Amino acid sequence: MSGHPAAPQGTPTAGEGLEGVGRAAPPAFLAALTEALGADAVTPGEAVPDRHLADWSGLPPVRPLALLRPRSTEAVSAALRLCSEYRVPVVPQGGLTGLAGAAMPVEGAVALSLERMNAIESVDAATRTLTAQAGVTIQAVQEAAAEAGLRFGVDFGARGSAQVGGALATNAGGNGVLQFGMMREQLLGLEAVLPDGRVLPMLRPMQKNNTGYDLKQFFVGAEGTLGVITRALFRLQPAPRARATLLAALPDYDAALALLGRLQSRFAGGVAAFELMWRDFVAASLAWQHLREPFDTVHPLLALVDLDGGSEAALQAELEEALAEAMEAGLVVDAVLAQSQAQAAALWKIREATAELPANMHPPVNFDVSLPMAQIGRFVQECRAALEVRWPGHLSVFFGHIGDSNLHLSIDGASIGGDAEAAEHLVYDMVGRFAGSVSAEHGIGLHKKPYLGASRTPEELDVMRAIKAALDPLGLMNPGKVFG
Ligand SMILES: Cc1cc2nc3c(=O)[nH]c(=O)nc-3n(C[C@H](O)[C@H](O)[C@H](O)COP(=O)(O)OP(=O)(O)OC[C@H]3O[C@@H](n4cnc5c(N)ncnc54)[C@H](O)[C@@H]3O)c2cc1C
């Protein structure tokens, strides 16, 4: 028991249900935490700042038993050891930008914020690697990479607040996935602390390491249910020297797939974005942002493409040639090639209408799903038709990073009588029938728990529960999230 007070008699365990777990935590628990971490690292429940009471999910705030803000891996380890001894559950918190409710505090549990573990420990330009503590923001990682003349492979809107630990625990994606993959693919090494306080120091800077299970990946996408990530070792990418942006009008979804394939073959590793926008999305975007139609004719699909290359002139010339061939083959009907950064930004503005969704969709019911790439076009048709049968005249918009198999759909809440739950059933059932995933990027958290079974078989869920039981036998890590 490492010299710490034993768990009080009768303290319920997580196996007895969440009711009461941690509620009975005696003052001795907080005193022991204070002694181990220092007074300024332990904030009792009533004094926890509001920003730690909820994440971006929109769920109502919950006050935790206490907020812990350790400064080192050793302090995280000591905190988890005490939580284990006193049977107090723990909710890890990063930048609290998660959209699925995974970082929401749990009554009777401590919230463990990594915000003070915010050091970039090293950047090695020669081997293109970076080591950071879990509380470093994604933007700080990007900036440190840029200072070394390199870039970090993942970028997304919440970069300024989302942290390394949270982004790994949700396996975040966003821009760049087409070229470099999600957070999982950036990871060379990881340090994590198990719920009983043991530290797994897996920070080995080698790509090749076939020595059994790849344990670090267990913590990626686990949404804090298996342990606490404390440090990460990332691979970095060369910075691009030139970028070209193109908006192409396409006749149908099959043409989009064919165009993507051609561009990926021709510009190997250079296709940085391939954003597909269906007409409903484009029409809404132009109306909401008071923008002009980009082409003389209305087209069913637009693709916004970013390409990276060695020099502006060579990239532009190669792209013009590729476009002429695609038009000849009937894959592209019309196209605009940005001639400046300002023009590229103007084209991207059409795609950035997502920021307008909350103000214009009363409220929007948002979906972030994955589907086999070949099926996305058919899914959009069938989904739109099914929504129309159920709610004639409804408003929905479809768009996505189809190169990553990722489709977004937003429905105007008012146009479906506010019945978000019925819409979720309809869409997620269809995602299940298409063998897709109910969560492409944002995770399961609390929001998508009811639909996890649409994307995971009972056998898969059994294995996930067995891994959880092996690493967290007391069920203390982020209880009630994902499948808890
Ligand atoms: C404007 C906006 C744009 C977004 N765009 C994208 C996007 O393009 N792609 C995308 O994937 N997501 C996106 N998101 C969602 C969100 O930013 C990501 O899920 C992000 O990875 C969450 O990181 P965070 O640090 O805020 O984690 P939090 O929200 O604090 O936590 C998320 C989960 O990680 C766990 N966790 C946090 N830190 C740790 C740790 N150190 N160890 C173990 N578990 C931990 C928490 O318990 C929780 O389960 C967006 C969100 C917003 C608000």
Side-chain angles (χ1 to χ4, degrees), residues 56 92 94-98 102 156 158 163 166-167 169-170 172-173 223-224 229 441 478:
W56 265 67
L96 291 160
T97 66
F156 52 96
Q163 298 174 4
T170 53
E223 300 184 42
I229 294 165
E441 287 191 332
N478 212 0

Side-chain angles (χ1 to χ4, degrees), residues 55-56 91-99 102-103 114 134 155-158 161-175 182 223-224 227-230 441-442 478:
D55 59 14
W56 265 67
V91 179
Q93 289 188 336
L96 291 160
T97 66
L99 300 168
L114 280 293
D155 182 35
F156 52 96
S161 304
Q163 298 174 4
V164 161
L168 282 167
T170 53
N171 189 27
N175 308 332
M182 301 178 79
E223 300 184 42
V228 176
I229 294 165
T230 43
E441 287 191 332
H442 301 153
N478 212 0

